[in-house]
Amino acid sequence: MPIPKEDSVPMKPDRLRQAPPFQHLIAIGTSTGGPRALHAVLTAMPADLPAPVLIVQHMPPKFTKSLADRLDAGSAITVVEAEDGMKVEKGVAYLAPGGYHMVMIQDSSNVYRIKLSTDDPVSGHRPSVNVLFHSLVPFSGFKKYVVLMTGMGSDGAKGMQELALSGAAATIAESEETCVVYGMPRAAVQLECVTHVLPLHEIPGKLSVMIQG
């Protein structure tokens, strides 16, 4: 996937100003039932969210662009299908494109960027939540808030455990009562790496309180 011509994502009109470096980052993994769950969380985020949001939703190629567009239309923050080389900025949600692993890297100028690859599937998936979460472990310059929502299987649980052990500010699993499939969150709970188990409608509020409070 080519590097975009612009260095960063075009911001919505009320946020065209230059953003300072972020101090918080949200990472979300989800699968079956995920589009509804992502809509519930992202549309509740304030326009001035002081964090980027990195998202892996298990979905085939060509479907993630339309999902990103739908989420963007209903959200105060900007939601995009991630492209290789995009600068990671607060107030923007980056959705991993179907068929590509997504990680975050820091370039030679210390700028955080998206990196995409077609490496082998992990946990049976590409994109894989574990791949994204694992890429965030080395970074210590900001607080990390990690979320696993509805989905079949266990992708993301080991990555969440790694982030918890490396000092993540919070690890959140969607509770069984609101999951379409209580698989991925259950796997994380079983690894005893979850700080908060919350129904879907409470997740965005908890994130806002922790980040902005």
Side-chain angles (χ1 to χ4, degrees), residues 7 20-21 43 55 58 65 67 70 76 81 84 86 100 109 115 130 139 151 157 161 168 171 180 183 194 204 212:
D7 183 60
T43 59
I55 304 166
H58 295 157
K65 177 63 166 64
L67 174 59
R70 292 197 306 273
E81 182 186 50
D84 194 56
M86 274 184 170
Y100 289 83
S109 300
K115 181 175 177 58
N130 275 327
F139 298 114
Q161 184 182 48
T171 50
V180 174
V194 177
Q212 298 185 316

Side-chain angles (χ1 to χ4, degrees), residues 145-159:
Y145 306 83
V146 193
V147 184
L148 273 177
M149 301 193 298
T150 178
M152 189 177 299
S154 62
D155 187 27
K158 289 183 179 179

Side-chain angles (χ1 to χ4, degrees), residues 107-150:
D107 68 16
S108 58
S109 300
N110 295 320
V111 174
Y112 295 109
R113 294 190 183 276
I114 296 292
K115 181 175 177 58
L116 302 178
S117 77
T118 54
D119 292 345
D120 291 342
V122 174
S123 308
H125 301 284
R126 191 176 64 211
S128 164
V129 183
N130 275 327
V131 169
L132 170 63
F133 285 1
H134 178 73
S135 77
L136 302 176
V137 171
F139 298 114
S140 58
F142 47 82
K143 293 182 178 180
K144 290 166 274 192
Y145 306 83
V146 193
V147 184
L148 273 177
M149 301 193 298
T150 178

Side-chain angles (χ1 to χ4, degrees), residues 152-191:
M152 189 177 299
S154 62
D155 187 27
K158 289 183 179 179
M160 178 177 275
Q161 184 182 48
E162 288 184 81
L163 285 165
L165 292 172
S166 68
T171 50
I172 299 173
E174 182 182 353
S175 61
E176 184 173 9
E177 65 191 91
T178 58
C179 280
V180 174
V181 179
Y182 187 55
M184 290 159 56
R186 183 203 298 273
V189 170
Q190 290 175 339
L191 288 178

